[in-house]
Amino acid sequence: MKKIIFTAAIIFCFINMRCEPNDDALNDSDNLLIGHWAEPQYNDQNITLTRVNTLPEAGYGISFKTKNDFVERSSGWCGTPPLVFSDYQGKWELTEDVVAITQDHFPNNYAWRIVSLTENELTLTRELTEQEKDYRALMDLFDDALDLIEDIPCENSEDWTFTPYGAKACGGPQWFLAYPTTIDVEAFLEKIEVYTKAEDDYNRKWSVFSTCEVINAPTDVVCENGFPILKF
């Protein structure tokens, strides 16, 4: 009789999900996550999604599938109309309340922290991965260099020149940057060199891919409406 009562208590416990003193939807998040989520609502750093039967054809959505398959339906990073939505495949892994995502496109690795999770609603906040932290540090180096030439009008083309900057994963610079020779050129070029070396290290560390076409250097810098324009 005692065994019957104990078994019934266990079954009742799982049905009602109230056996733990702190009832938390994340206790069963590995099951509740599986499905399609769309109709995003943004609040500061949080995104709240609603469970749907299928992902919308022309709207953002994500799918957590069995065998840890993941799909993100997105218009990409640009977001310039007209928007074209595509499916990006990947994998997901849940550790406590953090969902780690691995995809073939940038950013290759990122994570969400689950703020709340119910049968019909999922609220997430971005959890910066090591790769994203490295990328932000990389952009800080680039901004540091740009601070030396920011808001300097291009009035005389003879006072301007250019330099390659950045490192493509396949080799060579990312592009070319115009700068005035009236600034502390040595300090500026040193910052560009630091950034370029850092981007090369970043590419190697995270196995970044890039196109391999050779970029031809510009031939001149001309001033147009106060802005330096590279001429090829």
Side-chain angles (χ1 to χ4, degrees):
M1 182 64 179
K2 290 182 179 179
K3 290 184 178 179
I4 295 176
I5 294 175
F6 178 78
T7 302
I10 293 296
I11 294 173
F12 181 83
C13 171
F14 279 100
I15 291 176
N16 290 276
M17 296 296 291
R18 295 189 181 125
C19 289
E20 294 295 332
N22 294 321
D23 186 21
D24 188 345
L26 300 186
N27 288 339
D28 198 32
S29 59
D30 56 337
N31 292 326
L32 287 179
L33 268 180
I34 295 176
H36 306 295
W37 303 89
E39 303 173 8
Q41 299 292 325
Y42 298 94
N43 182 15
D44 294 329
Q45 300 298 318
N46 293 349
I47 175 174
T48 297
L49 300 151
T50 300
R51 187 184 296 277
V52 294
N53 292 327
T54 58
L55 293 181
E57 292 186 4
Y60 182 82
I62 56 178
S63 295
F64 296 99
K65 300 183 177 183
T66 57
K67 299 182 180 180
N68 294 96
D69 290 329
F70 175 78
V71 176
E72 180 182 32
R73 181 161 296 174
S74 172
S75 58
W77 290 89
C78 183
T80 303
L83 300 181
V84 177
F85 286 84
S86 302
D87 287 349
Y88 299 93
Q89 310 292 330
K91 292 288 185 180
W92 65 276
E93 182 178 355
L94 181 66
T95 303
E96 295 183 350
D97 60 347
V98 175
V99 186
I101 306 297
T102 303
Q103 293 178 300
D104 291 334
H105 70 99
F106 180 84
N108 306 90
N109 302 278
Y110 62 95
W112 283 307
R113 181 174 296 277
I114 299 175
V115 177
S116 63
L117 173 60
T118 67
E119 181 65 31
N120 297 309
E121 188 174 271
L122 169 63
T123 299
L124 304 165
T125 189
R126 283 302 299 269
E127 184 87 354
L128 289 182
T129 63
E130 183 182 355
Q131 182 181 6
E132 288 178 309
K133 291 176 182 177
D134 285 352
Y135 187 76
R136 286 195 174 188
L138 186 64
M139 291 301 97
D140 286 342
L141 289 177
F142 191 55
D143 289 341
D144 189 38
L146 292 183
D147 283 343
L148 295 182
I149 61 174
E150 187 177 19
D151 299 328
I152 298 179
C154 185
E155 297 175 342
N156 186 351
S157 300
E158 295 182 357
D159 294 333
W160 286 76
T161 186
F162 58 87
T163 182
Y165 73 90
K168 296 177 64 175
C170 204
Q174 288 283 9
W175 197 241
F176 298 87
L177 186 64
Y179 67 92
T181 56
T182 54
I183 64 171
D184 187 340
V185 173
E186 183 178 354
F188 174 72
L189 293 180
E190 182 177 348
K191 290 180 182 291
I192 291 296
E193 183 179 356
V194 169
Y195 166 75
T196 299
K197 175 62 168 57
E199 185 170 30
D200 183 56
D201 292 342
Y202 175 89
N203 293 339
R204 296 175 186 273
K205 179 178 180 180
W206 296 109
S207 300
V208 175
F209 295 93
S210 73
T211 57
C212 297
E213 72 271 12
V214 177
I215 300 177
N216 294 321
T219 57
D220 201 4
V221 179
V222 298
C223 296
E224 295 183 7
N225 300 319
F227 294 98
I229 305 298
L230 296 174
K231 293 295 183 179
F232 293 85

